[in-house]
């Protein structure tokens, strides 16, 4: 199925003369699934969550999958499970959504930011080793915009120093990486765990939600327990038991549960995933084809060992161009754009400590990066409108 065929049957944003930056791919199937969950009478974490966990684990070939309320809580639980605590350090990137750094701070630890590669927008593995100290407790890498980071190189450093690796895979459902000559889905953890988001801007959405995949039964048991106030038995197990069960609470936990309504929607989304990825890759290729003649425009680099889901399509504008003025011009032409993400160290929430290392690439990419609309059911007319608006704004 071609990308333009995939868009048939869905309202084009040209109907309102505005091309949105992102639109979730939702239809009657998701609405029916949510309706069925509501009418079942079980709407919080329950049988549909358990079914979604099994299906997502199967899709990513992970041994375990634990559904949670969002990806930020997933990161929080994963970091706690590998022992990150007060006064520790976690090596990560500044060029990412604030949730990556926030989750580290929740535990009383501090992010140590290293720079990124310009082409992939991901952690530069060559800079990781120099950031390791006696306080380093983990490495938190990010598959930015769905582009797989260089896990093989990052894991080589981590393994030399006995450090766990957590993958922030918020954007990366459906992305793939080549490991030892074999293509593997992001979510089959190469480190300890991978954490995903189901926010409406992501490739799969349940309105919100998250999931943690792992191949470690002990790790999975911890995060599964903590997501529900560290209760000794789940609501579902207690409800289905023929014996009275008196639950206990032996440690502090959290209310980080996914609801069965969300899981019902997410299960339908998972069925759509192959078609969604195929369409996104076709729209991304068409951007390159139709914009490659623009001087100074830099496209994201997909390494030979990576297959992106193109959760966000972003380009670097030529140095000296006012990115915000371009965004305003395109908005006036009926096209929504976005700063693709942030530099955490430039925000007040995370600038209380001086940087340990300079971040020239992160800062340059942040200033020049422009996110263009991309969603699977966009039309040729939608994308042509985006391309025309960008060309006009750069004249």
């Amino acid at each position: 199925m071609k990308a333009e065929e995939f868009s048939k049957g869905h309202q084009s944003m040209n109907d309102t003369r505005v091309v949105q930056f992102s639109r979730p791919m939702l239809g009657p199937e998701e609405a029916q699934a949510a309706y069925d969950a509501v009418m079942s009478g079980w709407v919080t974490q329950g049988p549909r969550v358990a079914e979604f966990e099994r299906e997502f684990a199967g899709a990513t070939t992970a041994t375990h999958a634990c559904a949670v309320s969002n990806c930020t809580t997933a990161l929080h639980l994963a970091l706690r499970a590998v022992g990150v605590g007060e006064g520790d350090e976690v090596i990560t990137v500044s060029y990412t959504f604030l949730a990556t750094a926030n989750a580290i701070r929740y535990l009383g630890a501090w992010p140590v930011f290293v720079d990124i590669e310009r082409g992939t927008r991901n952690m530069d593995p060559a800079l990781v080793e120099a950031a390791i100290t006696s306080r380093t407790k983990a490495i938190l890498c990010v598959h930015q915009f769905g582009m797989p980071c260089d896990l093989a190189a990052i894991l080589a450093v981590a393994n030399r120093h006995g450090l766990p690796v957590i993958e922030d895979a918020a954007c990366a459902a459906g992305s793939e990486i080549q490991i030892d000559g074999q293509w593997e889905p992001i979510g089959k953890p190469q480190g300890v765990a991978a954490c995903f988001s189901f926010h409406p801007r992501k490739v799969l959405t349940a309105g919100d939600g998250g999931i943690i995949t792992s191949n470690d039964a002990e790790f999975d048991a911890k995060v599964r327990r903590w997501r529900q106030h560290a209760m000794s038995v789940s609501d579902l197990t207690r409800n289905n038991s023929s014996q009275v069960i008196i639950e206990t609470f032996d440690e502090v936990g959290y209310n980080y549960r996914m609801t069965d309504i969300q899981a019902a929607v997410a299960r339908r989304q998972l069925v759509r995933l192959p078609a969604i990825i195929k369409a996104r890759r076709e729209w991304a290729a068409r951007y390159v084809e139709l914009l490659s003649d623009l001087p100074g425009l830099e496209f994201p680099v997909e390494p030979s060992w990576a297959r992106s889901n193109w959760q966000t399509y972003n380009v670097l504008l030529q140095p000296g161009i006012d990115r915000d003025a371009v965004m305003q011009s395109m908005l006036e032409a009926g096209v929504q754009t976005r700063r693709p993400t942030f530099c955490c160290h430039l925000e007040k929430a995370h600038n209380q400590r001086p940087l340990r290392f300079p971040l020239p690439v992160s800062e340059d990419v942040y200033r020049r990066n422009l996110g263009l609309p991309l969603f699977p059911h966009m039309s040729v007319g939608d994308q042509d409108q985006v391309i025309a608006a960008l060309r006009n704004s750069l004249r």
Side-chain angles (χ1 to χ4, degrees):
M1 183 185 294
K2 296 295 184 182
E4 57 266 31
E5 294 171 350
F6 191 58
S7 68
K8 289 180 180 177
H10 300 275
Q11 181 186 12
S12 167
M13 291 312 299
N14 281 340
D15 292 347
T16 58
R17 303 187 65 80
V18 173
V19 181
Q20 289 182 317
F21 180 66
S22 179
R23 282 184 77 204
M25 178 69 182
L26 296 166
E29 298 87 351
E30 285 84 358
Q32 184 65 52
Y35 175 84
D36 291 343
V38 169
M39 297 307 294
S40 75
W42 193 296
V43 294
T44 188
Q45 179 179 287
R48 287 171 175 81
V49 168
E51 290 163 356
F52 176 56
E53 289 172 336
R54 286 192 291 270
E55 291 165 359
F56 196 86
T60 57
T61 67
T63 307
H64 307 282
C66 175
V68 292
S69 53
N70 53 65
C71 190
T72 308
T73 57
L75 292 168
H76 183 199
L77 293 179
L79 289 165
R80 179 181 171 183
V82 298
V84 174
E86 191 75 33
D88 290 332
E89 294 177 350
V90 177
I91 297 170
T92 190
V93 291
S94 175
Y95 189 68
T96 182
F97 187 63
L98 275 291
T100 308
N102 287 349
I104 297 168
R105 295 284 299 282
Y106 293 165
L107 293 160
W110 282 90
V112 174
F113 298 124
V114 296
D115 215 351
I116 62 172
E117 300 171 316
R118 188 180 308 277
T120 64
R121 328 293 197 236
N122 281 324
M123 177 181 283
D124 187 339
L127 304 177
V128 173
E129 196 145 30
I132 296 172
T133 71
S134 60
R135 289 184 177 273
T136 306
K137 200 70 174 184
I139 299 171
L140 177 54
C141 58
V142 182
H143 302 298
Q144 195 59 261
F145 312 133
M147 183 70 72
C149 66
D150 192 347
L151 278 172
I154 292 167
L155 285 165
V157 176
N159 292 339
R160 284 199 296 273
H161 293 269
L163 293 171
V165 173
I166 303 293
E167 300 170 47
D168 182 340
C171 302
S175 295
E176 301 161 278
I177 189 168
Q178 196 171 50
I179 300 289
D180 296 327
Q182 299 294 318
W183 285 102
E184 304 280 6
I186 296 296
K188 179 181 182 179
Q190 305 302 321
V192 175
C195 301
F196 293 84
S197 171
F198 304 120
H199 180 274
R201 262 189 62 183
K202 302 305 188 287
V203 171
L204 300 180
T205 186
D208 211 335
I211 203 163
I212 312 167
T213 60
S214 70
N215 291 327
D216 184 323
E218 183 179 356
F219 174 97
D220 181 70
K222 287 179 182 178
V223 297
R224 194 169 290 277
R225 183 172 67 251
W226 292 335
R227 71 174 170 178
Q228 191 173 3
H229 297 290
M231 195 162 75
S232 59
V233 62
S234 73
D235 287 341
L236 188 61
T237 299
R238 183 178 58 182
N239 186 71
N240 292 335
S241 175
S242 61
Q243 302 291 321
V244 173
I245 296 177
I246 306 299
E247 68 276 17
T248 62
F249 300 86
D250 300 327
E251 57 185 326
V252 174
Y254 313 93
N255 184 2
Y256 284 178
R257 294 169 293 183
M258 175 183 276
T259 70
D260 256 29
I261 300 172
Q262 291 172 307
V265 173
R267 293 183 69 203
R268 293 305 311 167
Q269 287 277 285
L270 194 57
V271 173
R272 296 185 189 273
L273 184 59
I276 288 174
I277 298 300
K278 185 175 186 294
R280 283 182 169 274
R281 288 172 175 166
E282 289 179 0
W283 292 124
R286 192 169 185 266
Y287 268 134
V288 176
E289 176 188 353
L290 298 181
L291 291 173
S292 57
D293 63 316
L294 280 178
L297 205 65
E298 296 181 40
F299 298 97
V301 174
E302 186 179 58
S304 61
W305 42 262
R307 293 173 180 162
S308 179
N309 64 7
W310 301 108
Q311 180 266 342
T312 295
Y313 196 83
N314 63 104
V315 294
L316 295 187
L317 300 177
Q318 196 169 10
I321 291 177
D322 185 338
R323 191 262 321 268
D324 294 355
V326 170
M327 293 174 68
Q328 183 62 40
S329 173
M330 294 183 71
L331 184 60
E332 291 168 2
V335 175
Q336 294 180 351
T337 59
R338 293 289 185 272
R339 295 180 297 169
T341 195
F342 311 93
C343 273
C344 295
H345 74 282
L346 298 179
E347 301 296 329
K348 289 182 179 179
H350 296 289
N351 69 0
Q352 296 96 331
R353 288 189 173 188
L355 288 175
R356 190 171 298 172
F357 306 99
L359 303 174
V361 180
S362 297
E363 293 180 4
D364 181 57
V365 168
Y366 168 72
R367 286 190 297 266
R368 297 200 284 129
N369 210 2
L370 176 68
L372 301 177
L374 193 152
F375 44 94
H377 47 303
M378 71 190 304
S379 68
V380 169
D382 291 333
Q383 195 175 44
D384 286 347
Q385 185 175 341
V386 176
I387 291 167
L390 178 59
R391 286 184 177 278
N392 289 335
S393 71
L394 295 176
R395 285 180 178 172

